[in-house]
Amino acid sequence: MHTKKNYTALEMAIWTRFETLLFVVIITAWVAVNYFLDLSWFKIPWTPLALIGTAVAFVIGFQNNSSYGRIWEARKIWGGIVNTSRTFGMYIQDMLTNEYAETPFSKEEIAREVKTLTYRHIAWMTALRHAMRESKPWETVVHQRTDREWGIQPPEFDAELEEDLISYLSEDDIKDALSKNNKQTALLYQQSHHLRQLKEKGLIWEFSFLELEALLQELFSLQGKSERIKNFPYPRHFATLNHFFMWVFVLLLPLALVPQFAEIGNELKEVQPVIGNYFVWFCIPFYVIVAWIFHTMERIGRTGENPFEGTANDVPISTIARGIEIDLRQNLGESDEEIPKQFPVKHHTQF
């Protein structure tokens, strides 16, 4: 998530510089051919081109709205994870008591069980964010040079899941979770089994057990929603055709724009011969501006299709998960030296 108020014009220019250069080459070639070979007859009327441009604007707008909807839904899902996690942390601290225990537990034993449950929940969030960062065939934005050259990437790209789980789980729990295809689901199963064992020992009242199981059910629901966005891409026929339509418009635009500037130049020759003779070259900046706008809007839509792939404008799930971990561990009474720091913001970007 980019944290500055705005991207600067320079940043946008750098991000789109290769496409901008391509547009300059395209329109310069068209103008040169028209100017030196006198191909003023090779043109198309504005009406069909305007219809194409209108259609392209509509489909790009639809794509951008859909992409923003995916980003916003993903953010709401992880907002739900924040709220449910805090509730879970509060419940296990207050619901694990000796009130209904046949054999009372010591305060140290209860605190140990609370810590185990809390740490396993943090491990679940860790496994979930690692799963959300796995590369999918349709996720290509992160491989583009102008996205990679900032030199920043999510922390999940720098560490294996097993390394991140060591701090939170026992060896048996890690072995069990890693043996499953869906690690985060395995951890919620472990959590449920552990709660059942505590209920059987009397450390959790039956109604408290039901409340905690309901929270696990909510976590399953939020996990499934997050996985749905991750594993179901923006429909590829929409994305592909939008890209093709945009390029059709961009490549046809010189056929109408260059002759129009040439005609205006012929009219100017009567009063301003020098300006009129070279006026057709003025269409270069106008074409680049129009083509840049259409292409950049389409690229923005493509960039927002996958809110978890790890670019500068995705949902900052790593930062969110670490923030929840800090809250839970502070409420366990751990010192600041024991609690990991928040992931640093690099180039005004949270991951």
Side-chain angles (χ1 to χ4, degrees):
M1 179 180 70
H2 196 65
T3 58
K4 286 200 307 182
K5 182 178 180 180
N6 296 304
Y7 282 103
T8 65
L10 178 60
E11 288 172 332
M12 292 300 296
I14 293 175
W15 188 56
T16 59
R17 66 185 185 277
F18 295 114
E19 294 85 357
T20 303
L21 179 61
L22 178 60
F23 297 145
V24 171
V25 171
I26 290 173
I27 189 59
T28 301
W30 271 107
V31 173
V33 169
N34 183 278
Y35 184 81
F36 294 109
L37 301 181
D38 191 21
L39 295 181
S40 57
W41 55 269
F42 189 50
K43 61 183 179 180
I44 60 175
W46 274 103
T47 301
L49 188 64
L51 292 175
I52 294 174
T54 301
V56 171
F58 272 113
V59 296
I60 290 177
F62 175 78
Q63 179 184 20
N64 286 355
N65 285 336
S66 299
S67 297
Y68 180 78
R70 288 169 63 86
I71 293 174
W72 184 238
E73 183 183 4
R75 182 60 187 88
K76 289 194 293 184
I77 291 169
W78 277 81
I81 291 175
V82 171
N83 298 337
T84 307
S85 297
R86 290 170 176 167
T87 303
F88 182 79
M90 177 185 67
Y91 276 15
I92 60 175
Q93 287 195 30
D94 292 338
M95 289 182 173
L96 271 66
T97 66
N98 284 317
E99 184 176 358
Y100 297 95
E102 295 182 2
T103 303
F105 292 78
S106 66
K107 290 184 178 180
E108 291 75 16
E109 290 175 319
I110 295 177
R112 191 181 309 116
E113 297 293 347
V114 170
K115 181 177 180 179
T116 299
L117 290 168
T118 301
Y119 272 39
R120 188 181 290 114
H121 179 77
I122 297 172
W124 169 78
M125 289 190 300
T126 302
L128 181 58
R129 62 182 173 86
H130 271 270
M132 295 300 99
R133 298 300 193 193
E134 291 180 0
S135 180
K136 297 294 182 180
W138 55 83
E139 294 179 346
T140 59
V141 175
V142 75
H143 301 297
Q144 292 186 357
R145 176 178 174 181
T146 51
D147 289 303
R148 290 186 290 105
E149 64 188 5
W150 295 99
I152 52 177
Q153 60 184 12
E156 293 79 17
F157 289 3
D158 298 325
E160 296 294 331
L161 174 60
E162 184 175 1
E163 298 175 9
D164 284 345
L165 293 181
I166 291 175
S167 303
Y168 309 114
L169 300 173
S170 65
E171 291 185 9
D172 291 338
D173 285 351
I174 292 178
K175 184 177 180 180
D176 175 70
L178 294 179
S179 68
K180 306 298 192 301
N181 290 335
N182 193 311
K183 280 72 174 175
Q184 55 271 24
T185 296
L187 290 171
L188 286 181
Y189 271 85
Q190 290 179 13
Q191 201 79 302
S192 180
H193 298 335
H194 190 179
L195 291 173
R196 184 197 64 204
Q197 293 169 3
L198 295 178
K199 178 185 75 71
E200 292 171 350
K201 295 177 181 178
L203 195 58
I204 298 179
W205 186 35
E206 290 187 3
F207 286 102
S208 298
F209 172 73
L210 294 176
E211 288 286 344
L212 290 169
E213 287 289 297
L215 286 182
L216 293 186
Q217 180 183 5
E218 177 63 16
L219 292 175
F220 266 122
S221 177
L222 293 168
Q223 173 187 317
K225 292 177 181 179
S226 187
E227 291 171 339
R228 181 191 67 219
I229 294 178
K230 176 66 177 182
N231 298 325
F232 185 81
Y234 180 76
R236 305 323 298 156
H237 59 297
F238 282 117
T240 302
L241 291 175
N242 289 351
H243 190 68
F244 288 163
F245 292 162
M246 181 274 299
W247 275 108
V248 167
F249 174 74
V250 167
L251 294 176
L252 288 178
L253 183 58
L255 291 175
L257 195 62
V258 174
Q260 184 70 37
F261 272 77
E263 291 178 8
I264 297 174
N266 291 332
E267 295 176 2
L268 287 175
K269 285 181 181 179
E270 298 179 2
V271 292
Q272 295 288 343
V274 177
I275 295 178
N277 189 47
Y278 296 102
F279 189 81
V280 68
W281 295 92
F282 283 101
C283 76
I284 292 178
F286 288 93
Y287 169 83
V288 171
I289 291 172
V290 174
W292 182 87
I293 290 174
F294 272 83
H295 182 276
T296 303
M297 290 300 296
E298 190 269 340
R299 186 175 176 184
I300 288 172
R302 279 188 286 122
T303 302
E305 289 174 5
N306 306 299
F308 298 129
E309 73 176 300
T311 64
N313 298 289
D314 291 344
V315 178
I317 59 176
S318 305
T319 300
I320 292 172
R322 179 55 59 85
I324 300 171
E325 177 182 355
I326 292 172
D327 287 347
L328 293 177
R329 295 180 67 171
Q330 283 180 340
N331 287 311
L332 285 178
E334 296 185 5
S335 64
D336 291 340
E337 290 73 23
E338 299 175 281
I339 301 173
K341 303 299 181 183
Q342 182 58 270
F343 293 116
V345 177
K346 299 180 180 178
H347 297 286
H348 306 284
T349 301
Q350 292 180 346
F351 282 104

